[in-house]
């Protein structure tokens, strides 16, 4: 998990043997990770984990009642949960982790953006009616000076050509 998504800043765990070993503590120290312990044998002290377990149990029970495959039901739930905006952050967990939303079945209802973007770009190119302009050394031109906020356009002369400019 850490190889794919990177090292977390902070780890919360109970005082279980896998998390208290000297090797694990050295690994966390070497990677600059903070390790917070919750009270052993008192899961209620970690409310976020308890809420997550409660939601997963509810999904599993519902799948059993409806006769749906538990793995499929749990995976569908997790996809929707991870793609849903969180009330505290205002952003979905997936957006925070990956910088984008995951595609769901609902996305099939929305039209693809690619064809629309290409169509609009072609329309804009046709509407612009641009023409190729070619310059030769010695031609007088006006150029934009972005360093000067008072006088924006200045007179100039072409000294050499390196490429064709399309306006």
């Amino acid at each position: 998990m850490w190889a794919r998504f990177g090292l977390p800043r902070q780890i919360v765990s109970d005082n279980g043997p896998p998390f208290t070993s000297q090797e694990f503590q050295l690994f966390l120290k070497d990677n600059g990770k903070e390790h917070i312990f919750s009270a052993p044998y008192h899961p209620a002290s970690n409310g976020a984990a308890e809420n997550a377990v409660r939601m997963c149990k509810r999904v599993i029970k519902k799948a059993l009642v409806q006769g749906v495959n538990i793995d499929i039901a749990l995976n569908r739930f997790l996809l929707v949960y991870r793609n849903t905006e969180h009330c505290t952050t205002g952003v979905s967990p997936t957006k925070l982790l990956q910088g984008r939303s995951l595609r769901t079945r609902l996305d099939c209802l929305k039209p693809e953006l690619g064809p629309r973007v290409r169509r609009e770009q072609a329309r804009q190119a046709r509407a612009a009616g641009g023409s190729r302009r070619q310059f030769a050394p010695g031609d007088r031109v006006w150029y934009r000076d972005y360093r000067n906020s008072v006088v924006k356009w200045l007179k100039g002369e072409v000294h050499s050509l390196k490429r064709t400019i399309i306006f």
Side-chain angles (χ1 to χ4, degrees):
M1 188 81 141
W2 294 352
R4 176 173 288 176
F5 298 112
L7 299 172
R9 289 189 186 117
Q10 186 180 74
I11 297 171
V12 180
S13 70
D14 61 8
N15 284 316
F19 306 111
T20 57
S21 72
Q22 186 176 1
E23 185 179 2
F24 188 66
Q25 294 305 316
L26 182 62
F27 172 79
L28 293 176
K29 182 181 175 192
D30 288 347
N31 289 287
K33 305 299 150 224
E34 180 184 8
H35 191 186
I36 298 172
F37 292 101
S38 62
Y41 306 110
H42 194 260
S45 63
N46 189 352
E50 286 301 303
N51 286 337
V53 169
R54 187 179 319 118
M55 283 190 298
C56 288
K57 281 184 177 179
R58 198 176 314 143
V59 169
I60 291 170
K61 286 178 185 175
K62 185 177 176 182
L64 288 171
V65 169
Q66 294 178 344
V68 177
N69 183 311
I70 294 172
D71 290 331
I72 291 173
L74 196 55
N75 284 327
R76 284 182 181 161
F77 165 74
L78 289 173
L79 175 66
V80 171
Y81 177 79
R82 292 170 179 156
N83 226 18
T84 302
E85 191 176 282
H86 194 274
C87 62
T88 304
T89 62
V91 182
S92 72
T94 300
K95 191 85 166 181
L96 286 173
L97 183 65
Q98 298 180 347
R100 66 179 182 88
S101 296
L102 300 175
R103 284 187 49 82
T104 64
R105 287 175 150 183
L106 289 175
D107 292 319
C108 296
L109 299 175
K110 294 189 284 186
E112 288 286 328
L113 262 175
R116 178 175 182 212
V117 169
R118 285 188 291 278
R119 189 173 58 247
E120 287 299 314
Q121 286 175 339
R123 184 190 61 77
Q124 290 169 3
R126 284 191 309 273
S131 59
R132 285 190 176 263
R133 296 184 186 170
Q134 295 190 353
F135 300 100
D139 285 353
R140 296 191 178 267
V141 293
W142 285 89
Y143 70 93
R144 179 77 186 257
D145 184 4
Y146 290 96
R147 299 167 299 174
N148 191 343
S149 60
V150 179
V151 181
K152 295 182 181 186
W153 291 94
L154 300 171
K155 292 180 184 179
E157 184 177 317
V158 176
H159 291 285
S160 66
L161 296 177
K162 296 198 177 184
R163 64 186 168 114
T164 303
I165 301 173
I166 300 173
F167 289 94

